[in-house]
Amino acid sequence: MPAALTIGPLSLASRVLQSPMADCTDLPFRLIAREHGLTLACVEMVSANSLARANRKTLEMLKTIPQDRPLAVQLLGSDPATMARAAAAVEGMGADLLDINLGCSVRKVVKNGEGAALLREPGKVGRILRAVRRALKRLPLTVKMRKGFDDESGRQAVEIAAISELEGVSALAVHGRTALQGYDVKADYAAIGAVKAAVRIPVIGNGDVFSAEDALAMAAASSCDAVMVGRGGLGNPWIYRDIDLALAGGGPKAAPPNPAERRAVLLRHLDYEALHVGERLAALNMRRIGAWYTTGLPHAKRLRTALCLADSTAAARRLIEEFFDRLGIQGPAHGLAQ
Ligand SMILES: Cc1cc2nc3c(=O)[nH]c(=O)nc-3n(C[C@H](O)[C@H](O)[C@H](O)COP(=O)(O)O)c2cc1C
């Protein structure tokens, strides 16, 4: 199949990516997403400082298995030398792509001058990218940024994009909101288009893509080369194929997942959590994951409350099975996918 998206040496058959999301895009999430058509997946952001200190929790966040490829790792930080050391460590771990976070707007991160705060410091971004590029032997380098820190015109993103291209970045992901804007402001696809018009490297649009129709609207408004799904992928791994089909210009529209499929995939997600993240954390994670897959179903709130009291994955499984049984929704026999 001809590549639909090329990022440096990486040839991807799909023009749909999943954004990194803290506490969400862990190994089980990525495995489920890949089974449903996602090609390139990304680990949630990891702090370059913590990685340089070989912090145990940070190393756990980078846990992967051979099926979890191709894999991107996103770094958060602001000191060029530390970022370079962390980049070399990521390359040494066998990742396929390194991404730099210029979008995180969490107060503590911004106060440290990291994430989206760097959008106000183009000179520093240039120094970080140069140091990281030099530290990498083979990995393509990408940047994920917002359209600006505070400037709603989108000019900050265009400036950072030009610097990124100059420093050897292979692709850019642009989230069409400023760091000061909350999620109730609609993502600005024209700002993504302005970045696309300013550079020759691939531009990946991000923000408010919850359906194939949203992806088509973003592509039409911005001429972006690929679409990055964020919250729209939580509990909805079917979205990747839907969007790919739509971007490829049609074919039959993928059928929406039926409730039995929803049950089966949620239980498989639980299996992967139990297998890969450890029993205690897996049971905790199921509160969030159970809610993703059952939103909109009758009595979903009751399930969410019950999952908060489940202290094991076995208990979480029982609650989920009872929930779907009560709705008369049976699934195919669950178990790990072969
Ligand atoms: C819970 C949560 C965690 C996130 N974590 C990250 C992260 O680690 N790195 C990052 O670049 N963006 C992160 N983001 C931002 C998303 O990747 C994405 O850019 C943003 O949600 C816009 O896309 P959407 O409107 O499709 O959700 C996070 C967003 C949410 C809601």
Side-chain angles (χ1 to χ4, degrees), residues 291-309:
W292 294 344
Y293 283 89
T294 54
T295 298
L297 292 177
H299 314 301
K301 198 160 166 231
R302 216 180 297 158
L303 173 69
R304 278 206 295 277
T305 311
L307 281 174
C308 286
L309 300 173

Side-chain angles (χ1 to χ4, degrees), residues 18-25 42-46 61 74 76 99-106 144-146 174-177 183 187 189 205-210 218 228-234 288 292:
Q18 169 66 52
S19 75
M21 293 178 71
D23 294 327
C24 300
T25 52
C42 189
V43 180
E44 66 182 281
M45 64 181 178
V46 296
M61 281 156 68
Q74 185 187 59
L76 179 78
D99 183 66
I100 304 292
N101 181 315
L102 299 185
C104 184
S105 60
V106 169
K144 178 169 178 283
M145 63 175 155
R146 287 178 177 259
V174 184
H175 174 192
R177 292 186 179 90
Y183 279 107
Y189 294 165
N206 171 237
D208 286 340
V209 173
F210 294 96
M218 175 189 270
M228 179 178 269
V229 175
R231 293 163 296 162
L234 303 178
R288 192 168 48 238
W292 294 344

Side-chain angles (χ1 to χ4, degrees), residues 42-58:
C42 189
V43 180
E44 66 182 281
M45 64 181 178
V46 296
S47 147
N49 276 323
S50 305
L51 189 56
R53 289 198 312 269
N55 174 279
R56 192 179 55 82
K57 194 164 168 263
T58 304

Side-chain angles (χ1 to χ4, degrees), residues 185-198:
V185 176
K186 187 95 181 71
D188 173 1
Y189 294 165
I192 299 168
V195 172
K196 171 67 190 162

